[in-house]
Amino acid sequence: MMQQPLVNSTYPLSTTKKPSQQIEPLNDFPDPLLLNITNKTETCPKSITRDDVKAYWVSSNTHDCPESTSNSILLDQLKRFAIQKMNNIFPTRVKSLEQVTQLLDLLRLLMTKTCPKEAVSNEFLQDATDAFTMFVKEDFFYGVEELEPEVFDRFTSSLKKCISRARIFNMSMEQRGCSNMELTGKMLHDNGTFLIIEVPTDASSMNREPLIESAWKMFLNAHAYCYQDFYPMNDHHHFSILFFKLFSESIYEKWTSPLDSDELYKFIAPDTDDLGLTMRNLDYCVGATSLISFCQTWLQRSSSTNETDRTERKKRSTWNVQMEHSRDETSVWNGEIGRASCRERV
């Protein structure tokens, strides 16, 4: 017989109390979900309610999982625990993760300086950065080497210089729904005319896991917007290689296999009412960078167009071979290696 879903008596189903009954505060309720209860008469809720949480977790709690599913969950949890141990055991891995975390945060900060917050909120960008950082830290085959201190300092200095000169794009927006602003694909030029922003179909966020895709878009934005701030020029190439390596096989598989529903994301990014709209806006923000950049913006997510070749990758990204092959300086900057080609400085 199938068990009935268990109801934790700590969380009452109703806030109606009897005269002699004292309702205890929910002191052990998880902090991230301690949000104000939205009045049911409102048409545009501003936060997640306890009813939302209860409905989602109760409906998704089976209590009768087949043994194979239970074993799969146990294996996943033990893998995460093992990776945490690995991250603490290997000194070079610890330092590398610290460096990558700092660089990811600079990419996020740059995006907040160029993309209108009405279109893509700062909170969403922070949520996406935190989630991608978690994916990276839980990547069993994480293989990014620790950067030499002077190289890391040059990377951070270049990005900070870029951030200091960054400006919000003046983009046309329209109101959508309660609190959503939709970018229309037009950017106002200094001469008073509108430029049309084009996002190639294969570069759009469609059919991609949105948090990993957001990290990719933040990288593309920095790769193109900050090209002129990297010196010597080969630093820009090494910076690109570093981020390509973050998208390992395990992360790539998550990236290309999004969930069927966006339901769970409202608990991850509660300020984002329309995730699909936010991702389209993010595409336009990166597209705006492509109009003013010295550097090619829309890099392919994989160097292989052959699905068989792609699935044969094991521990490293397919970008690595392509970008590291025949790494002659002139070839790199003339666009003969890989797809991260950039025009000469002017």
Side-chain angles (χ1 to χ4, degrees):
M1 180 182 297
M2 182 177 296
Q3 290 180 297
Q4 294 299 318
L6 299 179
V7 178
N8 190 333
S9 60
T10 306
Y11 311 127
L13 298 180
S14 172
T15 57
T16 303
K17 63 180 181 178
K18 300 177 182 179
S20 61
Q21 182 183 13
Q22 193 72 20
I23 294 180
E24 297 180 359
L26 306 181
N27 294 328
D28 57 347
F29 204 81
D31 287 345
L33 301 178
L34 279 179
L35 303 173
N36 294 329
I37 298 179
T38 304
N39 190 321
K40 293 183 178 180
T41 61
E42 294 182 5
T43 58
C44 303
K46 299 300 182 183
S47 62
I48 301 169
T49 67
R50 286 182 292 182
D51 287 340
D52 290 334
V53 177
K54 183 174 59 181
Y56 180 84
W57 294 112
V58 169
S59 65
S60 62
N61 187 5
T62 63
H63 293 288
D64 284 320
C65 297
E67 184 176 352
S68 59
T69 303
S70 299
N71 285 348
S72 176
I73 294 173
L74 175 61
L75 179 62
D76 178 70
Q77 291 174 333
L78 288 177
K79 277 184 178 180
R80 293 186 178 194
F81 181 70
I83 292 168
Q84 290 177 10
K85 299 282 287 185
M86 291 167 57
N87 290 344
N88 292 325
I89 291 173
F90 303 123
T92 56
R93 183 164 175 149
V94 171
K95 187 63 177 177
S96 175
L97 285 168
E98 290 176 355
Q99 293 176 339
V100 166
T101 300
Q102 292 182 53
L103 293 173
L104 285 169
D105 199 56
L106 290 174
L107 303 194
R108 175 197 62 79
L109 185 56
L110 174 66
M111 184 64 81
T112 67
K113 299 292 184 180
T114 60
C115 188
K117 64 181 180 181
E118 296 84 0
V120 181
S121 72
N122 295 347
E123 291 79 10
F124 174 78
L125 293 174
Q126 183 67 67
D127 292 333
T129 303
D130 291 344
F132 185 72
T133 301
M134 180 198 71
F135 287 140
V136 169
K137 289 182 177 180
E138 293 188 352
D139 182 5
F140 196 84
F141 295 117
Y142 177 83
V144 178
E145 298 295 331
E146 176 187 349
L147 295 172
E148 294 293 331
E150 58 271 21
V151 175
F152 177 72
D153 289 343
R154 290 204 307 268
F155 281 8
T156 56
S157 296
S158 297
L159 289 171
K160 288 177 180 177
K161 180 181 177 183
C162 178
I163 290 169
S164 68
R165 68 174 180 82
R167 298 292 181 269
I168 292 287
F169 291 123
N170 191 350
M171 307 171 76
S172 172
M173 291 182 281
E174 296 179 356
Q175 184 75 40
R176 286 289 182 270
C178 299
S179 59
N180 298 310
M181 297 298 293
E182 181 177 17
L183 298 180
T184 63
K186 297 179 181 179
M187 182 175 72
L188 186 63
H189 192 271
D190 292 340
N191 61 12
T193 62
F194 277 100
L195 301 177
I196 304 299
I197 303 171
E198 296 183 358
V199 179
T201 302
D202 60 355
S204 77
S205 298
M206 292 180 62
N207 301 320
R208 302 287 169 176
E209 197 290 316
L211 300 175
I212 299 176
E213 178 70 9
S214 297
W216 172 249
K217 291 295 166 60
M218 284 186 268
F219 161 66
L220 293 184
N221 188 55
H223 174 270
Y225 198 99
C226 299
Y227 164 69
Q228 59 186 299
D229 298 295
F230 279 86
Y231 188 85
M233 286 191 295
N234 203 39
D235 271 1
H236 184 263
H237 176 73
H238 289 153
F239 168 76
S240 300
I241 291 294
L242 170 70
F243 275 90
F244 289 156
K245 288 181 177 179
L246 296 180
F247 293 85
S248 66
E249 179 69 14
S250 60
I251 290 181
Y252 193 94
E253 288 176 353
K254 296 181 183 75
W255 193 11
T256 55
S257 305
L259 300 178
D260 294 332
S261 169
D262 292 339
E263 184 73 11
L264 181 58
Y265 290 99
K266 71 179 180 182
F267 301 103
I268 299 171
D271 72 303
T272 303
D273 294 335
D274 188 332
L275 183 60
L277 177 59
T278 296
M279 297 307 298
R280 292 193 296 274
N281 286 345
L282 189 60
D283 287 347
Y284 276 131
C285 284
V286 179
T289 296
S290 71
L291 297 178
I292 54 95
S293 174
F294 286 97
C295 193
Q296 178 182 343
T297 301
W298 301 114
L299 309 182
Q300 289 194 7
R301 295 179 180 87
S302 170
S303 63
S304 174
T305 56
N306 185 297
E307 185 66 17
T308 301
D309 292 343
R310 188 194 67 73
T311 55
E312 289 176 355
R313 292 180 301 161
K314 297 300 178 185
K315 300 181 182 179
R316 58 201 302 262
S317 168
T318 52
W319 286 292
N320 298 351
V321 174
Q322 184 183 25
M323 296 292 288
E324 291 176 353
H325 177 67
S326 301
R327 291 181 55 240
D328 177 78
E329 282 294 298
T330 55
S331 295
V332 170
W333 298 107
N334 288 332
E336 297 173 13
I337 292 181
R339 305 184 189 278
S341 58
C342 304
R343 301 198 296 271
E344 295 296 330
R345 297 175 192 265
V346 295

